[in-house]
Amino acid sequence: MRKIQRDFYMQDAVNTAKNLIGKILVRKTKEGITKGIIVETEGYMGETDKAAHSYKALKSPRTYIQYGEGGYAYIYLIYGMHYCMNIVTNKKDIPHAVLIRALEPIEGIDIMKKRRNISNLKNLCNGPGKLCKAMAIDKGCYGMDLCGEELYLEYPDQEIKEKDIIATPRINIDYAQEAKDFPWRFVLKDSKYLSVK
DNA sequence: CGGAAGATTTCT
DNA sequence: GAAATCTTCCGA
């Protein structure tokens, strides 16, 4: 299995979001290894995107990592109770990021079920907060190098076909005005593991 | 320094 | 449909 290299992340967030569909997210912890196929992503285009945390070049301790080069993990706490995982993309000083919204679990499923305290496979990773809990991703993973060993992505045995990737408007960003209609969410066609809505 | 809102999940 | 719950941002 081939690990995805740094240059994969060095382009804009929308293209990377599309390319990430069908790739495999790998997370290693003391408890064991967990893997999932990425079936849903959203691209956030930094300074030109009203829905992005980094809109208008807004720098803060939270968004700081987005200003580095691509291939790092951007983790943040939302609504005081859930973590979301993003992958930073593009070159230094361009704060693009891709939100991972849903996974199809393929390895370490017992570990994920235990962490989530449920048994229904479809509900294990079908949402940003859910998949983070299932894969033990929290603020300790903030800024982690995705070319490292604990948290990284790899290519699947079979590449996803272009026609099986669907673009749709993004989710839960009604506050972003005109940006909320941009088709920057990508999903794997007919996947049973998408976040609903 | 205080208030308000959020890239969500879960239960009623 | 609403609560849970806390970090971050913005205005005073």
Side-chain angles (χ1 to χ4, degrees):
Chain A
M1 203 72 87
R2 289 180 303 143
K3 191 183 293 187
I4 292 177
Q5 302 300 313
R6 177 84 60 205
D7 57 359
F8 178 88
Y9 305 105
M10 300 301 279
Q11 56 180 328
D12 73 68
V14 169
N15 273 308
T16 309
K18 184 172 154 191
N19 291 335
L20 280 171
I21 296 293
K23 300 298 185 291
I24 298 175
L25 178 65
V26 183
R27 167 69 169 147
K28 290 183 184 172
T29 68
K30 284 178 299 197
E31 299 167 88
I33 190 165
T34 49
K35 294 187 185 182
I37 300 171
I38 297 173
V39 296
E40 182 174 355
T41 61
E42 285 179 17
Y44 286 87
M45 298 292 273
E47 301 177 17
T48 60
D49 182 1
K50 283 185 177 169
H53 291 158
S54 48
Y55 174 58
K56 274 203 285 196
L58 204 53
K59 283 194 187 182
S60 70
R62 183 172 71 160
T63 58
Y64 181 76
I65 191 70
Q66 295 191 26
Y67 290 85
E69 55 181 12
Y72 291 87
Y74 168 54
I75 314 293
Y76 68 95
L77 184 62
I78 188 65
Y79 299 119
M81 31 192 6
H82 301 289
Y83 288 100
C84 294
M85 177 186 173
N86 294 247
I87 294 172
V88 177
T89 75
N90 221 322
K91 303 190 179 75
K92 188 173 181 303
D93 296 325
I94 305 178
H96 287 191
V98 177
L99 172 67
I100 309 298
R101 289 194 56 86
L103 301 176
E104 175 181 339
I106 53 172
E107 196 173 318
I109 290 170
D110 289 341
I111 299 171
M112 291 193 258
K113 282 181 178 173
K114 191 175 161 191
R115 286 182 185 137
R116 294 265 299 121
N117 198 26
I118 58 168
S119 58
N120 188 336
L121 202 59
K122 289 205 292 283
N123 290 334
L124 212 46
C125 295
N126 63 335
K130 295 177 182 179
L131 72 90
C132 282
K133 188 169 184 190
M135 299 203 108
I137 292 167
D138 59 24
K139 63 177 184 258
C141 300
Y142 181 89
M144 198 170 274
D145 187 351
L146 298 177
C147 299
E149 290 299 320
E150 290 180 69
L151 182 64
Y152 60 91
L153 290 93
E154 58 188 27
Y155 292 97
D157 294 328
Q158 269 190 318
E159 289 287 330
I160 295 299
K161 297 184 185 69
E162 177 97 16
K163 68 179 171 56
D164 288 332
I165 299 175
I166 314 280
T168 79
R170 290 174 291 178
I171 302 293
N172 279 351
I173 53 163
D174 294 342
Y175 60 87
Q177 300 168 40
E178 78 276 1
K180 78 182 170 66
D181 296 321
F182 296 171
W184 290 348
R185 169 175 179 252
F186 297 94
V187 303
L188 180 60
K189 189 183 176 194
D190 296 332
S191 172
K192 297 179 178 60
Y193 299 93
L194 303 179
S195 69
V196 275
K197 296 168 194 173

